[in-house]
């Protein structure tokens, strides 16, 4: 297992850290440390463009499309330094980490030339159209449908939990294009512009007080016939590949953000005296151990993928970090006590640690629930029999 980085990789780290510190101490000091996904959206869009202009937006992409051809190790390093510098939550996370890599893998040359430079430059923001009211983690049960009308696809239906759709220019959506099909057959993967009369976005207010999530309605929405990844009917294959990206590289650098959150919990415990409680100290120690284990796990994944083979152990990562962070949120509230239950201002808005607790309740749900993760580990890593699926 690789426990460190090479001299060249450390030089890359120094370059990235210096650029981030200069930008976040200077023209973008006002967004430094912003963890909210909805606050200061206009300034964070400007930040996306600033990253893009310096080619720091999507370092792992080919340079021809606005990236830096960065290795996997360099991508992890940049993510670590981004979190260490207090970079704001990425407004175009879905475009950079999911839409772009999927277009790179399945798009035509014309699609790559049309979409990738705009994502890299921060000019077009993307959201994800997977879940539906009756199809959350069960994507094979989606009912949103599309059909050809001349040179367009026409889309009818509803998506839900479309994070940041209110700020997005495009949505990628799995839709049913095969008439009379069920299950994973007859699905297609469409790219749909949001700013049109046939698309309505409605906010869903969360218990954090924010409205990151949305319902997105398609009522005769249109997209060009060429805005499909793969062939009609390839939606399941493309969609599953995208979920692999969601559970892979994009999560490797998030541990520095977790480090910041754990440090905030420790600071709060020291400040209010709960650090003297042996039960709290024990839980802090367990959190520290868990975070370090995740670090070593990420390094093991990094080592395994360098020779082109993906380690089955990588499939355990999502359930590991989601469960760890949910426990950290509970620890944060126990450290804060009743003070953590009171918002500081008149608005329903909480500071970092109470917000960590509230938001982390969803960590074991989105991106594949813990139940789905256990199925993935059992079936793909351990080779156990597949769970019975009625429509499979």
């Amino acid at each position: 297992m690789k426990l460190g980085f090479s001299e060249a990789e450390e030089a890359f780290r120094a370059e990235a850290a210096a650029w981030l510190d200069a930008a976040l101490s200077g023209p973008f000091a006002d967004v430094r440390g912003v963890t909210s996904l909805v606050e200061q959206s206009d300034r964070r869009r400007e930040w996306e463009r600033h990253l893009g202009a310096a080619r720091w937006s999507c370092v792992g992409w080919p340079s021809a499309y606005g990236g830096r051809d960065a290795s996997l190790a360099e991508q992890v390093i940049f993510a670590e330094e981004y979190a260490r510098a207090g970079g704001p939550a990425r407004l175009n996370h879905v475009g950079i980490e999911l839409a772009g890599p999927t277009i790179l893998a399945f798009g035509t040359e014309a699609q790559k030339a049309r979409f990738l430079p705009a994502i890299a430059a921060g000019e077009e923001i993307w959201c994800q159209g997977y879940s539906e009211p009756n199809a959350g983690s069960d994507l094979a049960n989606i009912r949103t449908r599309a059909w050809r009308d001349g040179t367009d696809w026409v889309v009818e239906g509803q998506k839900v939990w479309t994070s940041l759709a209110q700020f997005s220019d495009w949505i990628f959506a799995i839709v049913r294009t095969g008439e009379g099909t069920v299950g994973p057959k007859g699905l297609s993967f469409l790219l749909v512009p949001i700013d049109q009369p046939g698309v309505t976005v409605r906010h869903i207010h969360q218990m954090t007080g924010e409205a990151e999530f949305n319902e997105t309605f398609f009522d005769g929405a249109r997209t060009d016939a060429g805005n499909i990844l793969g062939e009609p009917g390839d939606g399941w294959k493309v969609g599953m590949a995208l979920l692999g990206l969601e559970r892979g590289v994009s999560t490797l650098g998030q541990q520095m953000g977790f480090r910041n959150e754990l440090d905030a919990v420790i600071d709060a415990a020291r400040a209010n005296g709960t650090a003297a409680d042996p039960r709290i100290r024990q839980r802090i120690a367990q959190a520290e151990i868990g975070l370090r284990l995740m670090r070593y796990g990420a390094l093991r994944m990094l080592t395994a993928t360098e020779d082109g083979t993906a380690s089955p152990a990588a499939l355990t990562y999502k359930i590991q970090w989601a469960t760890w962070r949910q426990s950290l949120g509970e620890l944060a509230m126990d450290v804060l006590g009743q003070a953590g239950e009171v918002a500081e201002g008149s608005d329903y808005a909480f500071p970092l640690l109470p917000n960590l607790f509230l938001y982390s309740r969803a960590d074991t749900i989105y991106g594949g629930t813990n139940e789905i993760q256990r199925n993935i580990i059992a079936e793909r890593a351990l080779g156990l029999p597949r769970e019975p699926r009625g429509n499979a």
Side-chain angles (χ1 to χ4, degrees):
M1 180 174 73
K2 183 177 179 179
L3 292 175
F5 296 98
S6 69
E7 185 175 337
E9 289 164 347
E10 290 299 343
F12 177 88
R13 180 189 298 279
E15 180 187 1
W19 187 90
L20 287 164
D21 184 61
L24 292 168
S25 298
F28 290 93
D30 58 319
V31 296
R32 192 169 202 168
V34 172
T35 57
S36 166
L37 294 174
V38 297
E39 290 180 3
Q40 297 183 257
S41 59
D42 289 343
R43 285 289 289 153
R44 286 165 52 227
R45 184 181 281 263
E46 292 176 20
W47 171 245
E48 292 289 343
R49 291 171 177 155
H50 191 65
L51 286 167
R55 293 180 176 266
W56 286 114
S57 178
C58 44
V59 296
W61 290 17
S63 55
Y65 299 119
R68 286 175 173 252
D69 299 306
S71 66
L72 182 58
E74 290 171 333
Q75 294 174 58
V76 173
I77 286 171
F78 181 76
E80 288 180 343
E81 292 307 315
Y82 189 92
R84 193 194 311 274
R90 296 291 301 271
L91 190 65
N92 205 17
H93 169 80
V94 172
I96 297 298
E97 303 293 353
L98 300 180
T102 305
I103 293 170
L104 272 170
F106 293 95
T108 64
E109 292 306 312
Q111 289 170 333
K112 294 175 186 176
R114 162 61 186 86
F115 292 110
L116 295 179
I119 297 174
E123 297 295 336
E124 292 182 343
I125 308 298
W126 284 72
C127 63
Q128 180 178 25
Y130 269 27
S131 297
E132 297 185 2
N134 294 311
S137 294
D138 183 13
L139 293 177
N141 196 35
I142 66 167
R143 298 181 180 180
T144 295
R145 63 192 185 97
W147 63 92
R148 284 289 300 272
D149 181 24
T151 60
D152 290 344
W153 288 100
V154 180
V155 186
E156 290 274 356
Q158 177 188 355
K159 297 293 180 178
V160 70
W161 314 126
T162 46
S163 300
L164 306 180
Q166 67 268 48
F167 308 121
S168 297
D169 305 290
W170 286 82
I171 181 171
F172 55 82
I174 296 182
V175 300
R176 192 165 296 282
T177 55
E179 187 71 25
T181 59
V182 296
K185 299 177 182 176
L187 301 176
S188 296
F189 194 102
L190 297 185
L191 315 177
V192 183
I194 287 184
D195 186 15
Q196 60 168 302
V199 177
T200 301
V201 175
R202 189 165 68 190
H203 301 332
I204 298 174
H205 286 277
Q206 305 152 221
M207 62 181 178
T208 58
E210 297 184 337
E212 165 202 348
F213 294 128
N214 299 275
E215 296 174 291
T216 302
F217 299 88
F218 301 94
D219 183 12
R222 288 180 173 268
T223 191
D224 187 87
N227 291 334
I228 181 172
L229 291 190
E231 298 296 326
D234 283 348
W236 183 259
K237 178 179 71 175
V238 178
M240 291 303 103
L242 182 145
L243 287 179
L245 296 169
E246 188 175 44
R247 293 163 185 152
V249 175
S250 65
T251 62
L252 285 173
Q254 69 188 158
Q255 291 161 22
M256 190 56 67
F258 297 163
R259 174 79 264 169
N260 294 340
E261 292 173 340
L262 176 55
D263 286 345
V265 171
I266 295 171
D267 289 344
R270 287 172 173 160
N272 69 10
T274 52
D277 184 333
R279 293 167 299 182
I280 292 294
R281 286 205 308 273
Q282 179 70 19
R283 291 169 65 188
I284 288 174
Q286 290 172 343
E288 180 71 37
I289 292 168
L291 183 59
R292 294 193 185 198
L293 287 174
M294 281 194 285
R295 170 73 172 166
Y296 291 127
L299 290 171
R300 182 171 58 172
M301 285 188 283
L302 181 62
T303 301
T305 53
E306 279 185 334
D307 64 2
T309 60
S311 167
L315 298 175
T316 66
Y317 184 65
K318 202 280 175 174
I319 193 171
Q320 183 184 19
W321 76 253
T323 304
W324 177 89
R325 188 165 183 261
Q326 200 166 79
S327 296
L328 183 68
E330 293 164 0
L331 172 60
M333 293 304 290
D334 288 340
V335 166
L336 295 175
Q338 291 185 336
E341 301 175 9
V342 181
E344 295 177 348
S346 57
D347 295 332
Y348 183 82
F350 289 95
L352 175 65
L353 293 185
N355 203 53
L356 161 65
F357 168 73
L358 293 171
Y359 195 88
S360 64
R361 313 318 295 168
D363 284 346
T364 53
I365 300 174
Y366 70 81
T369 65
N370 274 8
E371 288 75 16
I372 292 294
Q373 301 305 317
R374 292 188 182 97
N375 275 355
I376 290 172
I377 294 167
E379 296 172 6
R380 301 183 191 177
L382 302 178
L384 297 177
R386 287 171 57 85
E387 180 188 40
R389 293 177 173 85
N391 293 326

